[in-house]
């Protein structure tokens, strides 16, 4: 397919465009470049970010924040960064404020606790931008509104559920998992309905699924396609971003291997994606920050060779050195966290295989819905137990338990409402948390290596862990009894080591730094950072890859000097680290 300066997804563009996909695939860059393209064509454009770690302002070189801000260098373009945490605070206050001083303090605290989780934050952010999907004073001046990070199927399913829980719970008939987040929906249900209708209207909305030419990325975006199509969002377009041009493979064995790997992934693309209209964008040698870079995103360019980018070392250790330190403890919980697409699954598998090869008992598990552990290991390993926290199986187990306990004395109407609530996605978060709690208890006698879901899902788990800890502390504190909660285990550096995984690129490093701040607020100190798939550490000879290697150096330096207490750099490899042998080579030498 020919690279083009006019992507197909911008032809006859509808009013609303949503850009979604795994972390690190280039959603923000493509959304920003699209906004510039439409504005330069004479259209008035509003670019909206709903990403908690939004870097739209950094891309344009100005401060944006939670207000509509004109982009001075681009006529007819404005931007807005929705702050999910600020939205959640306002949402909570809208619900709690009217009953403060009216209901007993204990009841008010209970309401506030029910609104403390990530479900509330997600719904509150949706609450903020639903106004942008309806005709209003805010939106009437814009021909196009572009969203960087589309609403998930999780959020839309929440908003489609009936709003009958409040009376049900006030009557003391049940224990719905989404009461807090959903308690305020009824007043704005008509606005939410209009927003969901707009999303499902192909004449008004186009969903742009962004992926890389990698098997895991394409599988993930296929899953997103299916989830959104199942709730009526069918007007979808695929963008495969960052494809290494064939010309770069001519005289560089690394570039040749990467190019072939990408072509193989495209040839094996999941069937649901093959029927979608598609654009392929070439990998760029530069960081996509600033107007000149964004204007060049949709244009193919020849890259001059600027020579060796220099030394990538910045007091970095090898992954093998980190594994030596981990092994010295004999047991414990090791959690790998970070954006989607940074290679957590591969690194978790590499650490687990190396520990098992030393004769240590290891349980490798994942809480990632995509769950690629089996493909990465490509076979069994002696001494290594492998499991997956299956959200569907855990949710069904939890549903049956609740129906057998909370629901056993309900009448037909009450049981029907309880069953409806248990179909909400919040139920899945609770069920996954319970499975997570069971597994991490094993770390007292063996190594538990956890490949976590992408950052947002991980924070949901931590929210549930924190809420559980606070509840137990309230119940047990007055009795003076000794207790240990999962949160206490995560906070204890003798029991838990958190490895933050990133790429040597601006957005993954920023998001890893934001995650580190969130963890520290929860009393969890990350043990190490791992910079994965480093081009500079691979010493390429391709002109394009040399330029990218040079661009990595400031990011590696920032990790070494500003963010990490200890860090390792893992080079980009010619062969994918699949199978026990290659995984051991990655972590053991």
């Amino acid at each position: 397919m020919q690279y083009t300066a006019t992507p197909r997804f911008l032809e006859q563009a509808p009013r609303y465009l949503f850009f979604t996909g795994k972390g690190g695939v280039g959603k923000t860059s493509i959304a920003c470049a699209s906004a510039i393209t439409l504005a330069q064509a004479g259209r008035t454009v509003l670019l909206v970010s709903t990403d908690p770690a939004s870097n739209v302002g950094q891309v344009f070189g100005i401060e944006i924040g939670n207000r509509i801000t004109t982009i001075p260098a681009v006529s007819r373009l404005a931007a807005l960064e929705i702050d999910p945490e600020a939205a959640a605070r306002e949402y909570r206050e809208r619900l709690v404020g009217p009953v403060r001083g009216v209901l007993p303090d204990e009841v008010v605290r209970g309401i506030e606790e029910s609104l403390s989780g990530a479900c509330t934050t997600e719904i509150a952010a949706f609450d903020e931008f639903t106004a942008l999907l309806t005709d209003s004073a805010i939106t009437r001046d814009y021909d196009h509104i572009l969203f960087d990070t589309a609403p998930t199927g999780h959020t839309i399913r929440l908003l489609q559920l009936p709003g009958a829980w409040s009376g049900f719970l006030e009557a003391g008939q049940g224990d719905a998992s989404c009461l807090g987040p959903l308690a305020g929906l009824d007043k704005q249900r008509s606005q939410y309905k209009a927003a969901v209708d707009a999303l499902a209207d192909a004449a008004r909305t186009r969903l742009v699924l962004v992926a890389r030419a990698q098997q895991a990325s394409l599988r993930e975006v296929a899953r997103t396609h299916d989830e959104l199509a199942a709730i009526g969002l069918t007007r979808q377009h695929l963008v495969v971003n960052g494809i290494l041009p064939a010309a770069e493979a001519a005289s560089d064995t690394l570039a040749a291997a990467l190019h072939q790997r990408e072509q193989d992934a495209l040839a094996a693309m999941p069937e649901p994606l093959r029927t979608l209209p598609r654009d392929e964008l070439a990998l760029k040698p530069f960081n996509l920050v600033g107007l000149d870079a964004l204007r060049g995103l949709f244009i193919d360019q020849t890259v001059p060779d600027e020579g060796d980018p220099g030394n990538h070392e910045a007091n970095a250790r090898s992954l093998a050195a980190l594994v030596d330190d981990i092994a010295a403890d004999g047991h414990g919980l090791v959690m790998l966290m970070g954006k989607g697409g940074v290679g957590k699954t591969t690194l978790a598998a590499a650490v687990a295989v190396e520990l098992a090869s030393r004769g240590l008992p290891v349980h490798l598990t994942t809480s990632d819905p995509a769950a690629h552990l089996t493909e990465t290991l490509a076979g069994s390993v002696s001494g290594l137990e492998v499991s997956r926290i299956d959200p569907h199986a855990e949710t069904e187990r939890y549903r049956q338990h609740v129906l057998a306990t909370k629901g056993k004395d309900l009448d037909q109407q009450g049981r029907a409402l309880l069953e409806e609530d248990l179909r909400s996605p919040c139920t899945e978060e609770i069920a996954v948390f319970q499975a997570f709690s069971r597994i991490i208890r094993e770390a007292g006698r063996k190594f538990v290596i956890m490949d976590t879901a992408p950052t947002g899902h991980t924070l949901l788990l931590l929210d549930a862990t924190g809420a559980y800890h606070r509840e137990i502390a309230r119940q047990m504190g007055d009795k003076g009894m000794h207790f240990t909660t999962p949160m206490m285990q995560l906070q204890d550096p003798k029991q838990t080591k958190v490895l933050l995984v990133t790429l040597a690129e601006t957005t993954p490093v920023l998001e890893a730094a934001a995650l580190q701040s969130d963890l520290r607020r929860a009393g969890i100190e990350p043990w190490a950072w791992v910079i994965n798939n480093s081009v500079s550490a691979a010493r390429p000879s391709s002109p394009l890859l040399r330029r990218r290697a040079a661009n990595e150096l400031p990011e590696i330096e920032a990790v070494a000097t500003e963010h990490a207490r200890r860090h390792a750099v893992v080079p980009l490899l010619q062969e994918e680290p699949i199978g026990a042998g290659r995984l051991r080579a990655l972590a053991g030498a």
Side-chain angles (χ1 to χ4, degrees), residues 22 53 104 173 184 187 220 224 236 257 312 354 379 401 419 436 451-452 468 490 498 517 523 540 552 555:
K22 281 173 71 76
Q173 293 179 288
K187 294 179 182 178
E220 178 74 9
T224 301
Q236 300 181 23
H312 73 277
E354 174 59 20
H401 173 73
E419 288 179 342
F436 167 75
D451 164 35
T452 67
Y468 176 81
L490 297 181
V498 174
S517 297
E552 285 187 350
E555 303 301 334

Side-chain angles (χ1 to χ4, degrees), residues 55 64 154 185 195 227 261 279-280 282 305-307 328 353 370 381 403:
N55 64 330
I64 296 174
H154 175 287
L185 287 186
E227 183 178 49
R261 191 190 304 177
D279 285 294
E280 295 182 0
D305 191 345
E306 296 185 353
V353 167
V381 177
L403 289 171

Side-chain angles (χ1 to χ4, degrees), residues 391-410:
H392 297 296
E394 297 299 337
T395 300
E396 184 57 27
R397 178 189 301 178
Y398 176 78
R399 284 184 70 256
Q400 294 303 323
H401 173 73
V402 172
L403 289 171
T405 53
K406 301 286 185 182
K408 66 183 177 65
D409 296 323
L410 295 178

Side-chain angles (χ1 to χ4, degrees), residues 247-554:
E248 297 293 324
S251 58
D252 184 341
T253 56
L254 174 63
L258 296 178
H259 176 72
Q260 187 59 52
R261 191 190 304 177
E262 290 179 345
Q263 295 306 307
D264 292 344
L266 291 173
M269 181 182 297
E271 193 61 38
L273 302 181
R274 293 179 181 277
T275 59
L276 297 180
R278 182 165 100 220
D279 285 294
E280 295 182 0
L281 303 179
L283 182 68
K284 301 302 175 189
F286 45 78
N287 286 323
L288 288 162
V289 176
L291 292 175
D292 289 341
L294 292 170
R295 288 187 175 113
L297 176 58
F298 299 145
I299 302 172
D300 199 8
Q301 299 174 345
T302 301
V303 182
D305 191 345
E306 296 185 353
D308 192 327
N311 187 6
H312 73 277
E313 296 294 338
N315 301 315
R317 306 174 71 190
S318 67
L319 182 61
L322 293 187
V323 174
D324 286 341
D325 291 346
I326 292 169
D329 292 337
H331 64 85
L333 174 64
V334 180
M335 299 183 71
L336 288 92
M337 299 185 183
K339 280 178 70 74
V342 296
K344 296 186 302 296
T345 298
T346 297
L347 294 178
V351 171
V353 167
E354 174 59 20
L355 290 173
S357 74
R358 302 183 185 193
L360 296 164
V362 184
H363 181 177
L364 171 63
T365 187
T366 181
S367 62
D368 189 340
H372 304 306
L373 276 181
T374 303
E375 294 94 329
T376 301
L377 288 168
S380 61
V381 177
S382 177
L384 177 61
E385 176 189 357
V386 181
S387 72
R388 175 192 172 209
I389 298 176
D390 184 339
H392 297 296
E394 297 299 337
T395 300
E396 184 57 27
R397 178 189 301 178
Y398 176 78
R399 284 184 70 256
Q400 294 303 323
H401 173 73
V402 172
L403 289 171
T405 53
K406 301 286 185 182
K408 66 183 177 65
D409 296 323
L410 295 178
D411 59 21
Q412 185 176 357
Q413 179 186 10
R415 189 175 177 87
L417 284 167
L418 180 58
E419 288 179 342
E420 178 66 35
D421 172 65
L422 289 169
R423 283 194 287 272
S424 89
C426 288
T427 302
E428 181 178 302
E429 305 299 347
I430 294 171
V432 169
F433 165 69
Q434 291 189 347
F436 167 75
S437 299
R438 287 195 302 270
I439 288 175
I440 67 174
R441 283 196 292 268
E442 297 179 16
R445 61 184 187 278
K446 64 173 68 171
F447 278 108
V448 175
I449 313 299
M450 177 166 280
D451 164 35
T452 67
T455 306
H457 289 276
T458 301
L459 293 178
L460 281 171
L461 269 181
L462 292 176
D463 278 339
T465 307
Y468 176 81
H469 170 79
R470 291 189 293 272
E471 180 62 28
I472 293 297
R474 277 199 299 269
Q475 292 178 11
M476 306 298 288
D478 294 339
K479 301 176 183 177
M481 297 178 65
H482 175 74
F483 62 93
T484 301
T485 66
M487 180 58 82
M488 293 167 69
Q489 183 172 343
L490 297 181
Q491 292 171 334
D492 185 350
K494 295 181 180 179
Q495 298 187 64
T496 301
K497 287 182 170 62
V498 174
L499 276 59
L500 296 183
V501 183
T502 185
L503 304 177
E505 299 172 7
T506 303
T507 300
V509 169
L510 285 173
E511 185 154 325
L515 174 58
Q516 178 163 266
S517 297
D518 287 333
L519 291 169
R520 284 173 171 169
R521 281 194 291 272
I524 301 169
E525 181 61 36
W527 181 72
W529 285 49
V530 181
I531 300 171
N532 195 28
N533 288 334
S534 169
V535 180
S536 63
R539 299 296 186 181
S541 58
S542 149
L544 188 152
L545 292 183
R546 281 177 183 254
R547 287 277 298 276
R548 290 190 66 84
N551 290 333
E552 285 187 350
L553 300 184

